[in-house]
Amino acid sequence: MIPRMGWNGAWAAAATVAMVRGGWPSTVTADPLLPTDGVTPPPLGPPPTPQPDCSTCRWPIHSWATIPASVHTSRTDTGPDGGFTQADLADLAKFPLVTIEKWQGQDAVNGEGERVFLWEEDAWAASIKQIKAVNPNISVVPWMDTMLIYTGWRLDGNQSAPINHTLNPDAVGACATGHFRPAEWIEQYPQLLVKNTSGMPAISQYGRCHVYDHTQPRVQQYWRDNCLKMTQAGADGCGADFSSGDHNSVARNTVQDTMNFLNCSEEVAVAWRAGKRKMMIDTTAALKNGLLIGKDAAELGDHVNAVLHEGCDASNGTITLLRSITNTSRTLNKRLLYQCHTKGGLDNDTVAAFLIGAGVDHYIACGGWHTAGANPINNRAPILDLPLGAPLADATYDPVTTLWHRAFASGTVVTFNASCTPNRVNRICAGTGIAWENHGV
């Protein structure tokens, strides 16, 4: 572990960096009652008044006119406001749901091509405003993190530059994502961070970041309030990265796994997991008609109302999962949104599996985590614009041929072989296909 400077030293260094960037924004203003011993963290003061519930959040408008699709992306090399290019917007405006990753505007430059420091929340707000101006019906969600506190941004933005260790001397590259106001603020109060078995701030296995201490109601409120602040800037909800643990899997997210990931005691792990779940339940409620987007379908209906599932593939498991989500939604009488973020793009087999199982509020998700360079964001594959129409019925399954079958209002017919091998290299999907009506595809 890298030796730590005293808290006064950390504050002074952080303030120096911030002044170079133009001074602390008002939301990151430090408590004026600084300690004098260089070790004791600054006093917190009373909790702030909670942010009001979202009154403007809206779900995406689901349609079967074409394949229901969403997009998950960001642009790192933006202008000084952190927004997308006009060419990017032409692509993004075609999707009913856009989630913006944590890299938006990370490598922003001014008109002279000089790097500028940009808070991630400002980049998100600018991007949301852009997208809504093109199509106000699009639901836009910034991708926040429920666990990790990213303060390791590189000092001049260059990928070869040293990592900022002002507030977290242990941070490595994976903790150098974006520039976050909430992260900078909470790092100054170690009493709000999870502690490891040695009583020091816990260091996550991924990125060696510090971690929000969700055992504390104040921290739960802090996360919820920061999400609600983004909705005040136009967002329709928030992403909840690491909502199901470091494996993005409820099944694998055991107490022991949490203990290992944070190097904390069992008592801390149990309390932290319960507190994080409560935070997400409360945030979902506060978003009203908005989205809290987790990572695993098993979370739906408990503490989130939407997920972005990384690893959705061409398999019978995708079909049965989608159908089970529809059944859960009907049982709970709740809308549950699922994004099938594919492993290998929109190949015919994966799209077929999705269409066989998909229900209302299900989307096939396009895009990577971030992009840069002269080429615009371009995730709208031609297949997504072919007429589809609503399904005529749920899919039927023939156990003799192991084939699923489903027809749509346009005349398009989809089949999928349940024995299809998900491995793209050695895939065998005999009988799988999409017969597009009058399009020869």
Side-chain angles (χ1 to χ4, degrees), residues 74-85 100 103-109 116 118-120 122-128 130:
S74 65
R75 173 169 288 281
T76 58
D77 57 341
T78 69
D81 66 346
F84 291 103
T85 67
I100 309 175
W103 284 274
Q104 186 71 19
Q106 178 174 279
D107 301 324
V109 296
V116 298
L118 183 64
W119 291 112
E120 188 63 30
D122 292 343
W124 279 337
S127 303
I128 293 165
Q130 283 183 310

Side-chain angles (χ1 to χ4, degrees), residues 108-119:
V109 296
N110 60 22
E112 288 71 47
E114 301 168 332
R115 304 184 79 93
V116 298
F117 183 90
L118 183 64
W119 291 112

Side-chain angles (χ1 to χ4, degrees), residues 283-296:
T283 301
T284 301
L287 289 170
K288 297 298 183 183
N289 195 39
L291 300 170
L292 186 65
I293 305 179
K295 298 300 294 288
D296 187 6

Side-chain angles (χ1 to χ4, degrees), residues 10 29 48 121 176 192 244 261 351 361 365 415 435:
T29 298
E121 293 78 19
L192 299 180
S244 54
F261 191 72
V351 174
D361 292 325
T415 54

